[in-house]
Amino acid sequence: MIRLTGIRKSYRTGSSTLEVLKGIDLHIAKGELVSIMGASGSGKSTLLNIIGILDNYDNGEYRLDSLLIKGQSETENAGLRSKYIGFIFQSFNLISFKNALENVALPLYYQGIPRRKRNEQALAMLENVGLKDWAHHMPNELSGGQKQRVAIARALVSGPKIILADEPTGALDSTTSREVMELLKHVNRDMGMTVVIVTHERAVAAASQRVIYLRDGMIENDRLDPATLLADVR
Amino acid sequence: MFDRENWGEILQSIGKNKLRTVLTGFAVFWGIFMLILLLGLGNGLRNGFAYNFRNTAENSISIWGGETSKPWNGLPANRNIQLTEEDVEALRHTIPGLEHIAGNYRVWRGNSQLQYGNNYGSYNIHGIINEQQLLEKQTVAQGRFINEVDEQLKRKTIVIADDARKELFKDEDPMGKWVNVNGVPFQVVGLYASENEGRQGMMQRNPVFIPLSAAQQVFNAQRDVDEIMFSFSDASLAGAAMAEQRTRHTLARMHNFDPTDDRAIWLDNNVENVSTFNGIFTGISGFIWFIGIGSLVAGIVGIGNIMLIVVKDRTREIGVRKAMGATPANVIGQILMEAIFVTAVFGWFGLALGVLLLEGLASVVPGSEFFRNPTIDFRTAIWALIAMLMAGTIAGYFPARRAAAIRPIEALRDE
Ligand SMILES: Nc1ncnc2c1ncn2[C@@H]1O[C@H](COP(=O)(O)OP(=O)(O)OP(=O)(O)O)[C@@H](O)[C@H]1O
Ligand SMILES: [Mg+2]
């Protein structure tokens, strides 16, 4: 599903260039639940953004569902994102003037689905994440965990093949974190979506099937056994 | 692209920040309002001046006898030139494209006395032929105007306006009654619509009309006329100059004066007056559009600026939309439509209020020679609307471009 070969990415700030990704080779198969860990600044978000076609890369090759992602127009990229990818962010990124239902329905709007059908699907998805009764609440009337569940529903609603989550529990306490992880596991197991989670939390990573450890823009350890994370204090 | 779904999105994001929307819209509202108001006031001035020309055919010339200032063919200077009906006939045959021509004989108010029973009044008396009406465009309010039979039979008939009717007849019906004009009885056959509604008082009174032949008889004037007026088909400036030249030459021949003597006859060329007047008002109109468009441009810049701030404000939202699959066209469409919508709504209010104010003004302010009926026509309003929509498009274009260029990755970065 996701195949990265020799991906390099650097940022230019003023006169100096900072190489953030230094040749990433990574294959994530369909239906995997993968966590990416690593120190702050190791390039996790950058990697996830490249996978999500929110950012471009300098060198290497990225194939999404065997399609080479390189040089597409912004419009084509929008179509690819719409078709393949659902995003979940640390800070939820719900649109503040839309209620839960409207937020969830937004990706469907850009797919040109008519309003009635859109709202039906969005409501079903809210029910799926246990927030049916909150459909008409505005984001500022929801708790952090509820907001993240709305965001998850929004990521799922258009039936993407891949869910990308950048520190989805970063702003949540441990109980709600666990709920969110359960939800993502359910998405992966029962809906068959490929899920990639960037996280700092061992507990979150431990819930996934595979942990990728980044250090200084390189993969230090792939296929780290999640079980060891809880015991071993790295 | 502009379907109901989009409108939902647009209305929602406009409604999200009402203050911003109102501030944005106000600039455009004000621009359009001022434009309409200025155009209306300009029209008021124009209408006021046009009112002065209402009674004369636009392509007409009138001539008065003067006094020669140059000797000619052995004749001395300082001779009075008295126009006659022979001049009218001569001009009838020499002016190319002549439409109507009429001479009239005048008795000034100071020399006239109208009397009915115990009521007296003093009015300018115009001895006219029926063709005069085609040149001066009087409208008959009741009865009839002076006609050809009156002229041929030298009938003692008279047509008066409302001011004379009130003064002489009070509440009586004047039709068919006999009025003494300097002692000679004339029968009232008609009332014509008053010309001087705007002016009150003794200064301006409407003239009374009697047949030219009767006037010449009563006032012992043989075939004299005081003014000759004619209209002609070629209303261009060149045509008018041509008619003027022919007139001078014909009358110079008839009365034996130097054709270059510009004091022998007085000549009022309405085409030249109208064209000078039109020139002035084209200038005024241009100036008004200039100022109006200027204030509209200020509105556009204002709305564009605020929209830019809005786009910056909404960077994250736009980033989220893009991450959710919005194409650049979606984003441009949304920002553009928002700008156009806000412009159109507030512009419409500006237009409506401007027009309403002008209508109110038109009904409150009495018409005068300087200012009347300060309203704008439908075409101008349409132009203002077009200007408005263009304003909205321009105001939205640059912010929309900027919004489309926002990279989701920049927008979504957690600070
Ligand atoms: N747009 C940018 N311009 C310049 N430098 C950038 C940019 N985005 C990221 N970086 C740098 O790239 C490096 C990697 O950033 P990235 O966000 O991928 O780290 P991360 O692993 O997600 O860290 P964290 O755990 O703190 O979120 C950091 O040093 C960051 O400062
Ligand atoms: Mg990060």
Side-chain angles (χ1 to χ4, degrees), chain A residues 196-218:
Chain A
V196 182
I197 304 168
V198 167
T199 185
H200 279 123
E201 294 168 57
R202 288 156 187 279
V204 170
S208 56
Q209 303 154 358
R210 173 182 170 193
V211 179
I212 295 161
Y213 202 91
L214 280 191
R215 182 197 286 271
D216 283 344
M218 308 266 275

Side-chain angles (χ1 to χ4, degrees), chain B residues 222-234:
Chain B
Q222 290 89 39
R223 298 198 19 102
D224 291 354
V225 293
D226 289 313
E227 183 198 28
I228 298 173
M229 195 173 180
F230 64 82
S231 63
F232 48 97
S233 52
D234 184 358

Side-chain angles (χ1 to χ4, degrees), chain A:
Chain A
M1 173 93 336
I2 296 167
R3 188 177 291 279
L4 300 163
T5 347
I7 293 291
R8 284 174 178 274
K9 169 83 181 172
S10 49
Y11 287 114
R12 197 162 297 118
T13 36
S15 53
S16 63
T17 33
L18 176 67
E19 189 158 43
V20 180
L21 298 180
K22 302 170 179 169
I24 300 282
D25 297 306
L26 178 63
H27 176 230
I28 298 174
K30 190 170 188 301
E32 273 193 278
L33 173 57
V34 179
S35 291
I36 301 175
M37 294 193 75
S40 185
S42 56
K44 305 182 295 294
S45 294
T46 307
L47 180 60
L48 199 74
N49 288 333
I50 288 173
I51 294 174
I53 327 180
L54 289 176
D55 205 351
N56 49 5
Y57 54 94
D58 300 334
N59 283 307
E61 198 180 278
Y62 168 30
R63 286 182 181 274
L64 172 63
D65 208 8
S66 67
L67 174 72
L68 178 65
I69 304 299
K70 193 154 210 166
Q72 275 90 351
S73 72
E74 230 349 88
T75 305
E76 288 167 321
N77 285 344
L80 289 172
R81 289 197 285 265
S82 175
K83 181 177 173 197
Y84 281 101
I85 294 156
F87 289 98
I88 300 166
F89 307 93
Q90 176 175 2
S91 52
F92 322 127
N93 279 331
L94 298 177
I95 292 176
S96 61
F97 56 88
K98 289 177 176 291
N99 67 28
L101 186 72
E102 289 162 343
N103 264 289
V104 175
L106 190 65
L108 299 174
Y109 169 73
Y110 289 118
Q111 290 188 341
I113 292 170
R115 185 186 170 84
R116 174 185 289 256
K117 211 167 153 216
R118 213 156 71 203
N119 285 346
E120 272 171 20
Q121 280 176 251
L123 194 64
M125 197 50 73
L126 275 175
E127 189 169 17
N128 220 338
V129 300
L131 286 177
K132 192 186 179 194
D133 296 339
W134 299 85
H136 297 286
H137 285 248
M138 302 306 279
N140 62 7
E141 298 164 349
L142 301 174
S143 73
Q146 286 171 328
K147 279 188 225 182
Q148 198 56 301
R149 274 143 72 194
V150 172
I152 291 171
R154 181 178 64 180
L156 297 175
V157 74
S158 57
K161 304 214 160 41
I162 302 164
I163 298 291
L164 301 178
D166 196 348
E167 305 193 32
T169 61
L172 304 176
D173 63 36
S174 55
T175 327
T176 33
S177 290
R178 208 170 306 129
E179 282 170 22
V180 165
M181 270 319 288
E182 283 310 311
L183 195 54
L184 288 174
K185 277 167 84 173
H186 155 75
V187 165
N188 173 253
R189 198 174 348 101
D190 303 331
M191 301 172 84
M193 291 180 190
T194 309
V195 178
V196 182
I197 304 168
V198 167
T199 185
H200 279 123
E201 294 168 57
R202 288 156 187 279
V204 170
S208 56
Q209 303 154 358
R210 173 182 170 193
V211 179
I212 295 161
Y213 202 91
L214 280 191
R215 182 197 286 271
D216 283 344
M218 308 266 275
I219 295 180
E220 190 188 60
N221 196 345
D222 196 348
R223 303 208 175 275
L224 191 71
D225 181 5
T228 64
L229 282 171
L230 292 175
D232 175 32
V233 180
R234 245 195 94 92

Side-chain angles (χ1 to χ4, degrees), chain B residues 327-353:
Chain B
T327 62
N330 289 142
V331 174
I332 289 183
Q334 182 176 349
I335 302 293
L336 209 55
M337 288 306 284
E338 273 185 46
I340 292 174
F341 182 79
V342 170
T343 315
V345 168
F346 282 88
W348 188 87
F349 273 112
L351 182 72
L353 196 74

